[in-house]
Each structure stands twice: as structure tokens, then as C-alpha cells.
Amino acid sequence: MNATLRRLSTVVMVMFLALMVSTSWIQFVAAGELNDHPGNVRGIYSALSRDRGPIVVRGGEAIVTSVPVDDNFKYQRTYSEGDGGAASVYAPVTGYFAVNGTVTGMERYANSYLAGEDDSLWLDRLQNLVTGEEAQGSSVELTIDPEVQKAAWDALGDNIGAAVAIDPKTGAILAMVSKPSYDPNTLAVHNSGEATAASEALINNKPQVNSIGGEERLSPYGPTINRTINAVYPPGSTFKLLTAAAAIEYEGKTPETSIPAEDVYQLPGTTGDGGRVQNYGGQKCSDTGEMPLKDAMRISCNTAFLALANEVGKDGMQQMFQDFGFTESIDIPMSTSVGAYPGLSDSATDDSAARIALSGMGQGDLRMTPLQVAMMSAAIANDGDLMEPYLIQSVRDSDLELVSQTKPSRYKSPFSSSTADALTEMMVEVVRDGSGTGAQISGVDVAGKTGTAEDDPRSPTLWFTSFAPANDPQVAVAVVLENEGQSTDESTGGALASPIAAQIMQAAISK
């Protein structure tokens, strides 16, 4: 009998031990994984039943709030007070918090602050535990300037594309607009089925873009994609800034250096018409076949920059691309897409001399985000020092006490201040008397560069990047119009994108 009891006691002890180990494992070791599991709806209920912190822009305007409601979730996440039109202006930045578990944009990447769960808020959580008060999230203040944001939104009009503006001295992002956009309020409803249906509809609603030959083509990006940081395009002639920077920095060129500027350029290692590249519209750059670098930049001579990239060579061009940090993702805090350059990415593996030369004018396998194109101008504007882009200005707890504040930091230094001065000189001439006159602002010297990028089978993608004032830069801008070109003088980056950039810069420097 005693032996039987001992065996039974042993079994019971083992069962209790197994239960304790299992419970401890679930509560401590596996807690994070279980909380993040998509099938765990308790986390969503808990998050939505909390007074989540607001997202505000410069000046204190709240563009995202939590409003008390009479349902199981207790609070309704609301964007621009429920105004769908106003909310769509900021949607690519704010993202949305959906009851089906989908969280995007700042709602996702600043979640620890908004939910009041960040490690820096431990004292607030302790006080709530002691007093029994309901936990409140912190407010997140963005660097976005509402006037610059609205100017960018209005200037883009009905175009498919994006615009981004940066303070080149700090890296603060002043505007971030992506079109088409969406109303995040339709995704924040407290009905999982409705939220899922609305999300799927947006994902599948890719806009039709212009195409070569008139065939129907859809954009690869839907409205929920933030085109400023997660869409990549051929940068076209805006990339000539990087080509020129490499030539000046590594090859000792100056704006006055005479460089080849033929009517037609035969890509190295090729023969026949397949390797022949002409200037835009078949135009002649120079009667002599040569011209100063500054004039080649001013009129955006393609053949000159093909030859220039070939002279710099693979090592120099790749090095400059990497020195800008374009092969790296940045947390702003949303994660940005990386650029593609021949030999430096899976999507651009062919780094033959022909592909390197073609990259000199921003074509071929080369791809960049609008933020990266703006970063080129920002580095030039800031004497060769590229500041790290960021979106969060500060965080304050529920008592409005400062929790954290972003300190500007240098991200990269791709070239010297003398190279920056030379590039600035050439960019000013582009706007003053070249391909970018549409970006002129009365009484202000503007530095800029146009771009018209072939994107077969779609129509050309149009670009403009710039900064102003040229002698004391306050804002750097990039504008992209996705497949809005028609290969005519009236539909180039200089004609259509530069006036948009001018309106954005005007809003920023008039403050």
C-alpha cells in the first residue's frame, strides 16, 4: 500500500512540476511570441481598450486621436477627426490601426510610445499599477510641417507620384506625400470583416498609369504603399548629380572641365544600334563634341554623363552610391526600401562597363526611392554632410512631460564641401537658365536637377530634386510623377515636376 501511495505521490508531483514549468514557460518565455501571434485577438482588444496616445504635427495639431466609444473596444482610433479628405493627406505617414490586427505606418513603428509600453515609460506604468488608474499612451510629435505637407499635397494634384521635403541641416522630414492615398478611418472600424474587406480593396486597387503604345498598364504600387520611402523608380537624370559628384571627388573634374558630349554614345562592350544611346529627343549637345561639365549638367546632356560614368568606372560609381548609404535601409522610424545599383543588389547584378555607363544618366538597372533622391540634394545643400532623415520630433507622456527628443545626427559624408560647392553652382544654373527653369522662385536662388526616366513598357517617370535658398538652404525636395511623361518637351521632369517642387520650397522658406 505504501509503495502504491509513493508512486501516486510521485506521479502527482511530476504533474504539478510539469504544470508549473508549462505555466512559467507560457507566461515568461513564450509570452512575447504568443502576444504577437496573428490569431491572438486579446492583444487587439487590450490595445483598443486603452487610451492610445495622439500623433501630432508641428504646431501641436493632432492628426490621430483615440475617442471614447460605447462598445467592447472602449476607444475608436480616429484620423483627422474623421474627415476622410484631411486624413488622406497624412495617411502614408500615420498608417492605420485595424481591429483585424494590421498596424502600419507610425501607428506601428511608434507603437510602444503610443500604447504607453515603451521602456522609458516604466515610471508611468508603475504609478498606474499602484493607483489603479487607466494606462494612457504618450503623444508622438512628428517633424511634419502641416503647411509644407498641404502645399505638397495640393501641388501634386491628381498625379500619381510622391513628394518629400527635408531640412538638410537636421534631417527632419517636413513633408511626405504619396498619391493616390486613402482614408485610414475606413480601416479603423470595429468590425473585423469590414476592416479586412476595406484593406483588400485598397491593396488590389492599383491605379492605371500611362504606357508606351497606349496599352493598359497598372502601377505596381497601391494606395497603401508610401511611395516616398517604399516605391523604387529609375531616377533618370537626377542621378547625374551623383555621377558628377564621383567625377569631381575621384577624378578631379571641375564645373569648367571640358568633357566629351557626342551626339550618340556607343555603350562600352557593345556594337550596333542596340548599344547606341542618343540625347533626349535626338538633340545635339555640342557642335564640337565637347562641352564644360557645368553646361552638360545645365542642359542635361545624356551622352556626356554616359562617358563620364564610364571614365569614373565601376569602383568609383559603386563607391559613391554606397557612400550615400543607398544600399542600406533607414528607420525613420518606418523602414525604407534600399536602392538598386549594378553589382550592389540582387535586382541589378550586371555590373558590366555598359551597365555602369548607362547608370551615369540614371537608367538601366538603377532604382531609387524619392527619399533617396531628396537625400542627394540634402547632402549637397549641407556641404557634403548627409543628415539622417527622421520623422519623430519628440515624445511626451500623458502629463505632457518630455520623454524623448530626437537629436539630429550625421548619417553619411559622401563627398567634400568643395565638391558640394561645385555641384551647387551647377544646380543653380540648371534652374536659372537650363532644364529646370520651372522651379524658379522670385528673389530666391534655387538649385535643382530635372529627370525624365524611361520605364518601358510604361511611359517615362518624371523627376525634380532641388534645395533653396541656394546660399542658405532650408529645404531639400524630391518630386516624382509616376509614368506621367509622354516623351515630349511639354511632359518632362523640367516641365511638370519642377513647378511642383517650387510650390513646396516656397511653402517651406516663407515661414
mmCIF file of all heavy atoms in Angstrom, residues 291-336:
data_model
loop_
_atom_site.group_PDB
_atom_site.id
_atom_site.type_symbol
_atom_site.label_atom_id
_atom_site.label_comp_id
_atom_site.label_asym_id
_atom_site.label_seq_id
_atom_site.Cartn_x
_atom_site.Cartn_y
_atom_site.Cartn_z
ATOM 1 N N MET A 291 32.045 69.786 -74.217
ATOM 2 C CA MET A 291 31.468 70.938 -73.533
ATOM 3 C C MET A 291 31.872 70.897 -72.058
ATOM 4 O O MET A 291 32.227 69.833 -71.528
ATOM 5 C CB MET A 291 29.946 70.948 -73.665
ATOM 6 C CG MET A 291 29.230 69.807 -72.970
ATOM 7 S SD MET A 291 27.470 69.653 -73.458
ATOM 8 C CE MET A 291 26.915 71.335 -73.434
ATOM 9 N N PRO A 292 31.839 72.063 -71.382
ATOM 10 C CA PRO A 292 32.148 72.078 -69.954
ATOM 11 C C PRO A 292 31.131 71.241 -69.165
ATOM 12 O O PRO A 292 29.962 71.148 -69.537
ATOM 13 C CB PRO A 292 32.054 73.561 -69.580
ATOM 14 C CG PRO A 292 32.257 74.291 -70.864
ATOM 15 C CD PRO A 292 31.626 73.431 -71.915
ATOM 16 N N LEU A 293 31.590 70.641 -68.082
ATOM 17 C CA LEU A 293 30.714 69.828 -67.242
ATOM 18 C C LEU A 293 29.492 70.617 -66.787
ATOM 19 O O LEU A 293 28.378 70.087 -66.767
ATOM 20 C CB LEU A 293 31.501 69.318 -66.029
ATOM 21 C CG LEU A 293 30.714 68.564 -64.952
ATOM 22 C CD1 LEU A 293 30.000 67.350 -65.529
ATOM 23 C CD2 LEU A 293 31.641 68.151 -63.806
ATOM 24 N N LYS A 294 29.675 71.890 -66.437
ATOM 25 C CA LYS A 294 28.548 72.690 -65.940
ATOM 26 C C LYS A 294 27.475 72.863 -67.019
ATOM 27 O O LYS A 294 26.284 72.884 -66.709
ATOM 28 C CB LYS A 294 29.027 74.048 -65.437
ATOM 29 C CG LYS A 294 29.656 74.946 -66.494
ATOM 30 C CD LYS A 294 30.107 76.280 -65.895
ATOM 31 C CE LYS A 294 30.712 77.188 -66.953
ATOM 32 N NZ LYS A 294 31.167 78.487 -66.369
ATOM 33 N N ASP A 295 27.881 72.978 -68.291
ATOM 34 C CA ASP A 295 26.912 73.121 -69.371
ATOM 35 C C ASP A 295 26.213 71.789 -69.650
ATOM 36 O O ASP A 295 25.024 71.751 -69.980
ATOM 37 C CB ASP A 295 27.581 73.641 -70.635
ATOM 38 C CG ASP A 295 27.963 75.106 -70.531
ATOM 39 O OD1 ASP A 295 27.360 75.811 -69.696
ATOM 40 O OD2 ASP A 295 28.870 75.546 -71.257
ATOM 41 N N ALA A 296 26.966 70.699 -69.517
ATOM 42 C CA ALA A 296 26.358 69.378 -69.701
ATOM 43 C C ALA A 296 25.290 69.137 -68.634
ATOM 44 O O ALA A 296 24.232 68.558 -68.911
ATOM 45 C CB ALA A 296 27.431 68.294 -69.623
ATOM 46 N N MET A 297 25.545 69.606 -67.410
ATOM 47 C CA MET A 297 24.549 69.494 -66.343
ATOM 48 C C MET A 297 23.383 70.431 -66.610
ATOM 49 O O MET A 297 22.208 70.055 -66.422
ATOM 50 C CB MET A 297 25.191 69.836 -64.993
ATOM 51 C CG MET A 297 24.254 69.713 -63.800
ATOM 52 S SD MET A 297 23.883 68.003 -63.372
ATOM 53 C CE MET A 297 25.402 67.558 -62.518
ATOM 54 N N ARG A 298 23.676 71.626 -67.055
ATOM 55 C CA ARG A 298 22.637 72.634 -67.254
ATOM 56 C C ARG A 298 21.594 72.183 -68.267
ATOM 57 O O ARG A 298 20.393 72.346 -68.045
ATOM 58 C CB ARG A 298 23.282 73.955 -67.702
ATOM 59 C CG ARG A 298 22.285 75.083 -67.962
ATOM 60 C CD ARG A 298 23.026 76.378 -68.312
ATOM 61 N NE ARG A 298 23.875 76.207 -69.480
ATOM 62 C CZ ARG A 298 23.443 76.295 -70.737
ATOM 63 N NH1 ARG A 298 22.167 76.526 -70.999
ATOM 64 N NH2 ARG A 298 24.294 76.147 -71.738
ATOM 65 N N ILE A 299 22.050 71.580 -69.375
ATOM 66 C CA ILE A 299 21.096 71.147 -70.394
ATOM 67 C C ILE A 299 20.777 69.660 -70.277
ATOM 68 O O ILE A 299 20.000 69.122 -71.051
ATOM 69 C CB ILE A 299 21.619 71.450 -71.810
ATOM 70 C CG1 ILE A 299 22.864 70.623 -72.123
ATOM 71 C CG2 ILE A 299 21.875 72.945 -71.979
ATOM 72 C CD1 ILE A 299 23.328 70.730 -73.571
ATOM 73 N N SER A 300 21.400 68.992 -69.284
ATOM 74 C CA SER A 300 21.173 67.565 -69.025
ATOM 75 C C SER A 300 21.532 66.706 -70.231
ATOM 76 O O SER A 300 20.724 65.928 -70.741
ATOM 77 C CB SER A 300 19.719 67.304 -68.600
ATOM 78 O OG SER A 300 19.603 66.082 -67.921
ATOM 79 N N CYS A 301 22.785 66.822 -70.666
ATOM 80 C CA CYS A 301 23.275 66.086 -71.836
ATOM 81 C C CYS A 301 23.536 64.622 -71.473
ATOM 82 O O CYS A 301 24.425 64.315 -70.671
ATOM 83 C CB CYS A 301 24.551 66.743 -72.341
ATOM 84 S SG CYS A 301 25.288 65.896 -73.752
ATOM 85 N N ASN A 302 22.790 63.715 -72.070
ATOM 86 C CA ASN A 302 22.893 62.293 -71.731
ATOM 87 C C ASN A 302 24.249 61.696 -72.082
ATOM 88 O O ASN A 302 24.877 61.010 -71.268
ATOM 89 C CB ASN A 302 21.794 61.503 -72.437
ATOM 90 C CG ASN A 302 20.430 61.739 -71.832
ATOM 91 O OD1 ASN A 302 20.310 62.206 -70.703
ATOM 92 N ND2 ASN A 302 19.392 61.410 -72.588
ATOM 93 N N THR A 303 24.692 61.916 -73.309
ATOM 94 C CA THR A 303 25.919 61.254 -73.761
ATOM 95 C C THR A 303 27.121 61.681 -72.934
ATOM 96 O O THR A 303 28.044 60.892 -72.699
ATOM 97 C CB THR A 303 26.189 61.544 -75.245
ATOM 98 O OG1 THR A 303 26.298 62.968 -75.440
ATOM 99 C CG2 THR A 303 25.052 61.015 -76.112
ATOM 100 N N ALA A 304 27.113 62.934 -72.465
ATOM 101 C CA ALA A 304 28.225 63.418 -71.654
ATOM 102 C C ALA A 304 28.321 62.630 -70.347
ATOM 103 O O ALA A 304 29.425 62.285 -69.897
ATOM 104 C CB ALA A 304 28.054 64.909 -71.366
ATOM 105 N N PHE A 305 27.196 62.322 -69.748
ATOM 106 C CA PHE A 305 27.221 61.634 -68.456
ATOM 107 C C PHE A 305 27.397 60.118 -68.612
ATOM 108 O O PHE A 305 27.875 59.461 -67.685
ATOM 109 C CB PHE A 305 25.971 61.984 -67.661
ATOM 110 C CG PHE A 305 26.047 63.343 -67.031
ATOM 111 C CD1 PHE A 305 25.603 64.471 -67.717
ATOM 112 C CD2 PHE A 305 26.616 63.502 -65.783
ATOM 113 C CE1 PHE A 305 25.713 65.727 -67.150
ATOM 114 C CE2 PHE A 305 26.728 64.756 -65.204
ATOM 115 C CZ PHE A 305 26.270 65.881 -65.891
ATOM 116 N N LEU A 306 27.050 59.591 -69.755
ATOM 117 C CA LEU A 306 27.396 58.200 -70.040
ATOM 118 C C LEU A 306 28.915 58.046 -70.099
ATOM 119 O O LEU A 306 29.492 57.132 -69.491
ATOM 120 C CB LEU A 306 26.765 57.765 -71.370
ATOM 121 C CG LEU A 306 25.246 57.628 -71.405
ATOM 122 C CD1 LEU A 306 24.762 57.537 -72.849
ATOM 123 C CD2 LEU A 306 24.803 56.410 -70.626
ATOM 124 N N ALA A 307 29.555 58.952 -70.830
ATOM 125 C CA ALA A 307 31.013 58.915 -70.939
ATOM 126 C C ALA A 307 31.674 59.185 -69.590
ATOM 127 O O ALA A 307 32.703 58.586 -69.247
ATOM 128 C CB ALA A 307 31.484 59.932 -71.976
ATOM 129 N N LEU A 308 31.075 60.093 -68.821
ATOM 130 C CA LEU A 308 31.636 60.449 -67.523
ATOM 131 C C LEU A 308 31.587 59.257 -66.561
ATOM 132 O O LEU A 308 32.562 58.977 -65.856
ATOM 133 C CB LEU A 308 30.872 61.638 -66.944
ATOM 134 C CG LEU A 308 31.560 62.448 -65.846
ATOM 135 C CD1 LEU A 308 32.867 63.045 -66.352
ATOM 136 C CD2 LEU A 308 30.621 63.550 -65.356
ATOM 137 N N ALA A 309 30.465 58.562 -66.528
ATOM 138 C CA ALA A 309 30.349 57.384 -65.659
ATOM 139 C C ALA A 309 31.329 56.296 -66.076
ATOM 140 O O ALA A 309 31.914 55.614 -65.231
ATOM 141 C CB ALA A 309 28.916 56.847 -65.690
ATOM 142 N N ASN A 310 31.513 56.146 -67.375
ATOM 143 C CA ASN A 310 32.471 55.146 -67.867
ATOM 144 C C ASN A 310 33.886 55.510 -67.442
ATOM 145 O O ASN A 310 34.691 54.639 -67.092
ATOM 146 C CB ASN A 310 32.373 55.041 -69.382
ATOM 147 C CG ASN A 310 33.261 53.939 -69.935
ATOM 148 O OD1 ASN A 310 33.170 52.788 -69.527
ATOM 149 N ND2 ASN A 310 34.141 54.295 -70.874
ATOM 150 N N GLU A 311 34.194 56.814 -67.452
ATOM 151 C CA GLU A 311 35.523 57.259 -67.023
ATOM 152 C C GLU A 311 35.720 57.029 -65.523
ATOM 153 O O GLU A 311 36.781 56.577 -65.091
ATOM 154 C CB GLU A 311 35.718 58.735 -67.360
ATOM 155 C CG GLU A 311 37.092 59.255 -66.958
ATOM 156 C CD GLU A 311 37.292 60.717 -67.307
ATOM 157 O OE1 GLU A 311 36.445 61.287 -68.033
ATOM 158 O OE2 GLU A 311 38.293 61.299 -66.834
ATOM 159 N N VAL A 312 34.713 57.354 -64.737
ATOM 160 C CA VAL A 312 34.801 57.118 -63.291
ATOM 161 C C VAL A 312 34.975 55.626 -63.023
ATOM 162 O O VAL A 312 35.745 55.212 -62.160
ATOM 163 C CB VAL A 312 33.553 57.661 -62.570
ATOM 164 C CG1 VAL A 312 33.547 57.238 -61.101
ATOM 165 C CG2 VAL A 312 33.479 59.183 -62.684
ATOM 166 N N GLY A 313 34.236 54.827 -63.765
ATOM 167 C CA GLY A 313 34.359 53.382 -63.662
ATOM 168 C C GLY A 313 33.502 52.756 -62.579
ATOM 169 O O GLY A 313 32.904 53.437 -61.752
ATOM 170 N N LYS A 314 33.461 51.436 -62.609
ATOM 171 C CA LYS A 314 32.612 50.675 -61.685
ATOM 172 C C LYS A 314 32.944 50.955 -60.230
ATOM 173 O O LYS A 314 32.045 51.215 -59.426
ATOM 174 C CB LYS A 314 32.751 49.179 -61.977
ATOM 175 C CG LYS A 314 31.933 48.303 -61.029
ATOM 176 C CD LYS A 314 32.050 46.834 -61.390
ATOM 177 C CE LYS A 314 33.436 46.294 -61.102
ATOM 178 N NZ LYS A 314 33.507 44.819 -61.328
ATOM 179 N N ASP A 315 34.210 50.924 -59.884
ATOM 180 C CA ASP A 315 34.590 51.080 -58.480
ATOM 181 C C ASP A 315 34.161 52.439 -57.930
ATOM 182 O O ASP A 315 33.619 52.534 -56.823
ATOM 183 C CB ASP A 315 36.098 50.903 -58.309
ATOM 184 C CG ASP A 315 36.551 49.465 -58.555
ATOM 185 O OD1 ASP A 315 35.684 48.571 -58.559
ATOM 186 O OD2 ASP A 315 37.763 49.262 -58.753
ATOM 187 N N GLY A 316 34.411 53.481 -58.702
ATOM 188 C CA GLY A 316 34.060 54.821 -58.245
ATOM 189 C C GLY A 316 32.567 55.040 -58.151
ATOM 190 O O GLY A 316 32.069 55.615 -57.167
ATOM 191 N N MET A 317 31.818 54.592 -59.158
ATOM 192 C CA MET A 317 30.366 54.781 -59.152
ATOM 193 C C MET A 317 29.711 53.967 -58.030
ATOM 194 O O MET A 317 28.829 54.467 -57.317
ATOM 195 C CB MET A 317 29.786 54.390 -60.507
ATOM 196 C CG MET A 317 30.193 55.305 -61.653
ATOM 197 S SD MET A 317 29.587 57.006 -61.474
ATOM 198 C CE MET A 317 27.814 56.751 -61.701
ATOM 199 N N GLN A 318 30.147 52.735 -57.865
ATOM 200 C CA GLN A 318 29.599 51.917 -56.787
ATOM 201 C C GLN A 318 29.943 52.504 -55.425
ATOM 202 O O GLN A 318 29.103 52.510 -54.511
ATOM 203 C CB GLN A 318 30.119 50.481 -56.888
ATOM 204 C CG GLN A 318 29.551 49.681 -58.046
ATOM 205 C CD GLN A 318 30.108 48.274 -58.101
ATOM 206 O OE1 GLN A 318 31.165 47.981 -57.542
ATOM 207 N NE2 GLN A 318 29.407 47.372 -58.774
ATOM 208 N N GLN A 319 31.169 53.010 -55.308
ATOM 209 C CA GLN A 319 31.599 53.580 -54.029
ATOM 210 C C GLN A 319 30.750 54.784 -53.647
ATOM 211 O O GLN A 319 30.323 54.921 -52.493
ATOM 212 C CB GLN A 319 33.066 53.990 -54.104
ATOM 213 C CG GLN A 319 33.636 54.485 -52.779
ATOM 214 C CD GLN A 319 33.662 53.398 -51.717
ATOM 215 O OE1 GLN A 319 34.188 52.315 -51.951
ATOM 216 N NE2 GLN A 319 33.080 53.673 -50.557
ATOM 217 N N MET A 320 30.470 55.668 -54.598
ATOM 218 C CA MET A 320 29.676 56.857 -54.306
ATOM 219 C C MET A 320 28.248 56.473 -53.925
ATOM 220 O O MET A 320 27.657 57.054 -53.004
ATOM 221 C CB MET A 320 29.682 57.814 -55.503
ATOM 222 C CG MET A 320 28.967 59.134 -55.246
ATOM 223 S SD MET A 320 29.661 60.106 -53.879
ATOM 224 C CE MET A 320 31.212 60.665 -54.581
ATOM 225 N N PHE A 321 27.685 55.480 -54.606
ATOM 226 C CA PHE A 321 26.332 55.014 -54.287
ATOM 227 C C PHE A 321 26.290 54.476 -52.855
ATOM 228 O O PHE A 321 25.359 54.765 -52.098
ATOM 229 C CB PHE A 321 25.919 53.924 -55.282
ATOM 230 C CG PHE A 321 24.452 53.606 -55.281
ATOM 231 C CD1 PHE A 321 23.559 54.387 -55.999
ATOM 232 C CD2 PHE A 321 23.953 52.521 -54.575
ATOM 233 C CE1 PHE A 321 22.197 54.089 -56.021
ATOM 234 C CE2 PHE A 321 22.602 52.213 -54.581
ATOM 235 C CZ PHE A 321 21.725 53.006 -55.307
ATOM 236 N N GLN A 322 27.306 53.726 -52.478
ATOM 237 C CA GLN A 322 27.370 53.176 -51.130
ATOM 238 C C GLN A 322 27.667 54.256 -50.096
ATOM 239 O O GLN A 322 27.151 54.201 -48.967
ATOM 240 C CB GLN A 322 28.437 52.078 -51.060
ATOM 241 C CG GLN A 322 28.076 50.809 -51.821
ATOM 242 C CD GLN A 322 29.196 49.791 -51.806
ATOM 243 O OE1 GLN A 322 30.337 50.084 -52.163
ATOM 244 N NE2 GLN A 322 28.885 48.579 -51.374
ATOM 245 N N ASP A 323 28.482 55.241 -50.468
ATOM 246 C CA ASP A 323 28.821 56.306 -49.526
ATOM 247 C C ASP A 323 27.607 57.155 -49.160
ATOM 248 O O ASP A 323 27.579 57.782 -48.097
ATOM 249 C CB ASP A 323 29.927 57.199 -50.101
ATOM 250 C CG ASP A 323 31.295 56.532 -50.021
ATOM 251 O OD1 ASP A 323 31.407 55.484 -49.361
ATOM 252 O OD2 ASP A 323 32.249 57.059 -50.638
ATOM 253 N N PHE A 324 26.618 57.195 -50.031
ATOM 254 C CA PHE A 324 25.356 57.861 -49.710
ATOM 255 C C PHE A 324 24.476 57.005 -48.787
ATOM 256 O O PHE A 324 23.497 57.496 -48.237
ATOM 257 C CB PHE A 324 24.570 58.166 -50.985
ATOM 258 C CG PHE A 324 24.811 59.533 -51.549
ATOM 259 C CD1 PHE A 324 25.695 59.728 -52.588
ATOM 260 C CD2 PHE A 324 24.135 60.637 -51.036
ATOM 261 C CE1 PHE A 324 25.907 60.988 -53.124
ATOM 262 C CE2 PHE A 324 24.338 61.906 -51.557
ATOM 263 C CZ PHE A 324 25.226 62.084 -52.605
ATOM 264 N N GLY A 325 24.821 55.722 -48.662
ATOM 265 C CA GLY A 325 24.010 54.823 -47.839
ATOM 266 C C GLY A 325 22.809 54.273 -48.563
ATOM 267 O O GLY A 325 21.877 53.757 -47.923
ATOM 268 N N PHE A 326 22.812 54.318 -49.897
ATOM 269 C CA PHE A 326 21.630 53.915 -50.653
ATOM 270 C C PHE A 326 21.433 52.403 -50.704
ATOM 271 O O PHE A 326 20.382 51.935 -51.169
ATOM 272 C CB PHE A 326 21.685 54.487 -52.069
ATOM 273 C CG PHE A 326 21.561 55.987 -52.127
ATOM 274 C CD1 PHE A 326 22.093 56.706 -53.186
ATOM 275 C CD2 PHE A 326 20.927 56.685 -51.103
ATOM 276 C CE1 PHE A 326 21.982 58.092 -53.239
ATOM 277 C CE2 PHE A 326 20.809 58.070 -51.147
ATOM 278 C CZ PHE A 326 21.343 58.775 -52.225
ATOM 279 N N THR A 327 22.426 51.631 -50.272
ATOM 280 C CA THR A 327 22.255 50.181 -50.208
ATOM 281 C C THR A 327 21.774 49.739 -48.827
ATOM 282 O O THR A 327 21.688 48.547 -48.552
ATOM 283 C CB THR A 327 23.580 49.461 -50.526
ATOM 284 O OG1 THR A 327 24.587 49.892 -49.598
ATOM 285 C CG2 THR A 327 24.021 49.756 -51.950
ATOM 286 N N GLU A 328 21.459 50.703 -47.965
ATOM 287 C CA GLU A 328 21.032 50.401 -46.596
ATOM 288 C C GLU A 328 19.621 50.926 -46.360
ATOM 289 O O GLU A 328 19.224 51.942 -46.927
ATOM 290 C CB GLU A 328 21.983 51.056 -45.587
ATOM 291 C CG GLU A 328 23.447 50.701 -45.790
ATOM 292 C CD GLU A 328 24.371 51.577 -44.970
ATOM 293 O OE1 GLU A 328 23.886 52.209 -44.003
ATOM 294 O OE2 GLU A 328 25.564 51.639 -45.301
ATOM 295 N N SER A 329 18.882 50.235 -45.504
ATOM 296 C CA SER A 329 17.574 50.699 -45.078
ATOM 297 C C SER A 329 17.747 51.612 -43.868
ATOM 298 O O SER A 329 18.628 51.403 -43.035
ATOM 299 C CB SER A 329 16.671 49.518 -44.719
ATOM 300 O OG SER A 329 15.412 49.963 -44.255
ATOM 301 N N ILE A 330 16.909 52.643 -43.789
ATOM 302 C CA ILE A 330 16.938 53.576 -42.663
ATOM 303 C C ILE A 330 15.626 53.439 -41.893
ATOM 304 O O ILE A 330 14.555 53.324 -42.494
ATOM 305 C CB ILE A 330 17.098 55.028 -43.134
ATOM 306 C CG1 ILE A 330 18.291 55.169 -44.091
ATOM 307 C CG2 ILE A 330 17.253 55.975 -41.957
ATOM 308 C CD1 ILE A 330 18.408 56.541 -44.707
ATOM 309 N N ASP A 331 15.688 53.479 -40.584
ATOM 310 C CA ASP A 331 14.488 53.504 -39.757
ATOM 311 C C ASP A 331 14.199 54.949 -39.406
ATOM 312 O O ASP A 331 14.940 55.575 -38.647
ATOM 313 C CB ASP A 331 14.689 52.681 -38.483
ATOM 314 C CG ASP A 331 14.855 51.200 -38.778
ATOM 315 O OD1 ASP A 331 14.289 50.748 -39.788
ATOM 316 O OD2 ASP A 331 15.548 50.513 -38.018
ATOM 317 N N ILE A 332 13.065 55.467 -39.944
ATOM 318 C CA ILE A 332 12.791 56.907 -39.778
ATOM 319 C C ILE A 332 11.646 57.284 -38.833
ATOM 320 O O ILE A 332 11.339 58.513 -38.795
ATOM 321 C CB ILE A 332 12.548 57.542 -41.151
ATOM 322 C CG1 ILE A 332 11.317 56.956 -41.832
ATOM 323 C CG2 ILE A 332 13.762 57.467 -42.039
ATOM 324 C CD1 ILE A 332 10.870 57.675 -43.083
ATOM 325 N N PRO A 333 10.941 56.428 -38.130
ATOM 326 C CA PRO A 333 11.259 55.042 -37.797
ATOM 327 C C PRO A 333 10.708 53.990 -38.767
ATOM 328 O O PRO A 333 11.039 52.817 -38.627
ATOM 329 C CB PRO A 333 10.604 54.879 -36.434
ATOM 330 C CG PRO A 333 9.399 55.727 -36.505
ATOM 331 C CD PRO A 333 9.823 56.930 -37.327
ATOM 332 N N MET A 334 9.787 54.311 -39.714
ATOM 333 C CA MET A 334 9.386 53.305 -40.693
ATOM 334 C C MET A 334 10.619 52.868 -41.480
ATOM 335 O O MET A 334 11.516 53.675 -41.729
ATOM 336 C CB MET A 334 8.341 53.875 -41.653
ATOM 337 C CG MET A 334 7.012 54.185 -40.977
ATOM 338 S SD MET A 334 6.788 55.955 -40.746
ATOM 339 C CE MET A 334 6.224 56.432 -42.388
ATOM 340 N N SER A 335 10.659 51.626 -41.875
ATOM 341 C CA SER A 335 11.809 51.108 -42.617
ATOM 342 C C SER A 335 11.713 51.509 -44.079
ATOM 343 O O SER A 335 10.677 51.314 -44.723
ATOM 344 C CB SER A 335 11.874 49.576 -42.501
ATOM 345 O OG SER A 335 12.087 49.194 -41.164
ATOM 346 N N THR A 336 12.787 52.061 -44.608
ATOM 347 C CA THR A 336 12.798 52.491 -46.006
ATOM 348 C C THR A 336 13.344 51.378 -46.897
ATOM 349 O O THR A 336 14.142 50.545 -46.459
ATOM 350 C CB THR A 336 13.681 53.738 -46.170
ATOM 351 O OG1 THR A 336 15.037 53.392 -45.865
ATOM 352 C CG2 THR A 336 13.235 54.851 -45.227
#
